[in-house]
Structures are given as structure tokens and as C-alpha cells.
Amino acid sequence: MLIYRFLTGEDDASFCHKVTKALSEGWQLHGGPTYAFDAHNKKMRAGQAVTRPAKDQPYDPDKKLSEY
């Protein structure tokens, strides 16, 4: 099974740290980053999809992704 997460945040160093932490935990980048302007807050927002293989087990929507 492949687990999918979409990380989002303000386009700043904390977002880069969030992605770096995910990579250090075995997640892999899935596609390129996305950017959008948040007109309400007048800031750029960033997003990055990441995936990670998990042991063969049934998907449980109540389970935290970190528990796979």
C-alpha cells in the first residue's frame, strides 16, 4: 500500500522544515511543489505531496498515517 500526504503551509522556512522532516521519516516527494497566493492573509502558501510505502495491511481511515 502507498500512503499519501499533502503538506501545506506558508511559503517560509517552517514549511521547508516540515517537508525535510517528512523526507527524514522515509516519505518521498510526489510531483513538484505548488504555490498559491492567499489573498485574505496576503501571503504565499506552498504545498507538497509526499508518499511512503507501507506494509501490506488493510486501509483504516481511523488510523493515523504515522501508525502505518
Side-chain angles (χ1 to χ4, degrees):
M1 176 170 63
L2 194 61
I3 304 170
Y4 172 90
R5 288 173 61 192
F6 188 69
L7 307 173
T8 61
E10 188 176 327
D11 185 20
D12 60 9
S14 66
F15 176 74
C16 295
H17 285 284
K18 184 187 291 189
V19 174
T20 300
K21 181 177 185 289
L23 294 174
S24 74
E25 295 172 344
W27 294 87
Q28 297 176 345
L29 298 177
H30 182 78
T34 61
Y35 299 94
F37 182 68
D38 179 350
H40 180 73
N41 293 310
K42 297 183 171 51
K43 295 185 180 188
M44 289 300 292
R45 304 282 297 171
Q48 175 64 58
V50 293
T51 59
R52 183 177 73 186
K55 296 178 185 174
D56 289 333
Q57 55 186 293
Y59 173 69
D60 180 354
D62 296 324
K63 193 179 215 182
K64 292 182 181 181
L65 294 177
S66 61
E67 295 174 353
Y68 281 101

